[in-house]
Amino acid sequence: MKKLPLHIKIIIGLVLGIVWAFISSYLGWNQFTIDWIDPFGTIFIRILKAIAVPLVLLSIISGVSSLTDINKLGKLGLKSIVFYILSTVIAVGFGLTLVNLIQPGKFVNEEQRVKNRIKYELWVSENPDVPRPKDNRSFLQDEKYSELVNSAVNEEVMDSLKSAVKTKNAKVEQLAETAEESAGQSPLKFFVDMVPENIFGAFSSNSNMLQVIFFALFFGITLAMLPNSKVQGVLDFVNGANEAILKMVDIIMKAAPFFVFALLAGVIAKMADTPAEVLQIFKGLGSYSLTLLFGLLFMIFVFYPLIITMFIKKLSYKEFLKRISPAQFLAFSTSSSAATLPVTMECVEENMGVSRKISSFVLPIGATVNMDGTSMYQAVAVVFLAQLHMVDLTLGQQLTIVLTATLASIGSAAVPSAGLVMMIIVLNSVGLNPAWVAIIFPVDRILDMFRTVVNVTGDATVSTLIAQSEGELNVPKDVPANK
């Protein structure tokens, strides 16, 4: 067991966690799992998040302060942003293509979709500020639907997906308020939020990672501009502390398989009380879940490896996935790019051969602003919800989704419940009911795990490509078994 590579150990932990969750739910031990096993998973995420902020701070300061040419920093930053935006646009575009071809919303019973459309039209009529449907249809005025119109006012929006709709209204309202607040802000609000009022306050929250990055860049540039004789003590402290943080990552990862077991067992135990209920949730939203899952898996196993093998001949398809797999499996189990960041940096530096100068700058930015999986999810979910309510979105509206989802992926880092909040903003941008986010709540957690794998793989891909373009890539011949 000790000789097994880390990624194999993590896979074993994942599988055993899922098996345990189903056994415990079958035997009625869910509460035991939630009370006595799940907390270890929470502890693991907390440790990783605690390390993430000082790691970002110290690694950026260390990398930037070592630059002899400060002008190179601006070039590197511009290249990073362009690469990340390009990958996000591709992810959203592929998601939209997929959802339009498969049309998962049309797999639901036709009569139910008609009822949904009537409910949507009633909602539009009650909200005069909402743009009218652009498909020039009116089910409210059509006599053949008169009975359904009369009953629609008192009916549930989704009888066939009751488990999806029965979500706390307070949560939807809270998300809607946050989305409205975000949408009504100045276009430059993103840049204002990037500058911290109190840097120690920024250190205390992972949601303020952009502020940490801003301070680290500013501090690192200042150190680079000063003579070494004056700042050598600071540089020695930063570099030494950075090495200590990286050693902490090594220590934590030795126990990762056990923590991953606890995480997966807890996630499934919280979803439903029995295995049948878990399966029922996925059956109700199966067409949507499978469509999104196909798109996410395409990005992980086709798009990113293809890009890497095209531009970096030393890395084969199999080698790329093998070398980044520890970060991928950890991303899957934690559902957090920030929590996975320490391991992503370790994989990219030691397994892929990216220099610390590049990884310490590009990866923290990517973990904050690059959300390929989240952006694809927003595009697929919005079009699915429109199909579910028989609303035909025009090409212009779908291009609006591309633009909104891309911008949302950059600005979502400082917003609580980022994915769902940005989903509401995207729904609003094309005139759809923001309360529809409640429909996809039941499967959101498990799909979020796959979205995070896409995000982390995208970060690793972009950092490797940038390192190659800057001459800062030295791919090692092999990866140690314990990595």
Side-chain angles (χ1 to χ4, degrees), residues 43-57:
I43 289 169
F44 184 48
I45 293 177
R46 286 193 174 194
I47 293 173
L48 289 171
K49 286 187 174 180
I51 289 175
V53 172
L55 177 65
V56 168
L57 177 72

Side-chain angles (χ1 to χ4, degrees), residues 40-78:
F40 289 100
T42 305
I43 289 169
F44 184 48
I45 293 177
R46 286 193 174 194
I47 293 173
L48 289 171
K49 286 187 174 180
I51 289 175
V53 172
L55 177 65
V56 168
L57 177 72
L58 295 168
S59 62
I60 289 180
I61 292 175
S62 176
V64 172
S65 63
S66 65
L67 292 175
T68 53
D69 183 7
I70 296 298
N71 293 327
K72 188 178 180 181
L73 186 64
K75 177 187 172 185
L76 192 59
L78 180 62

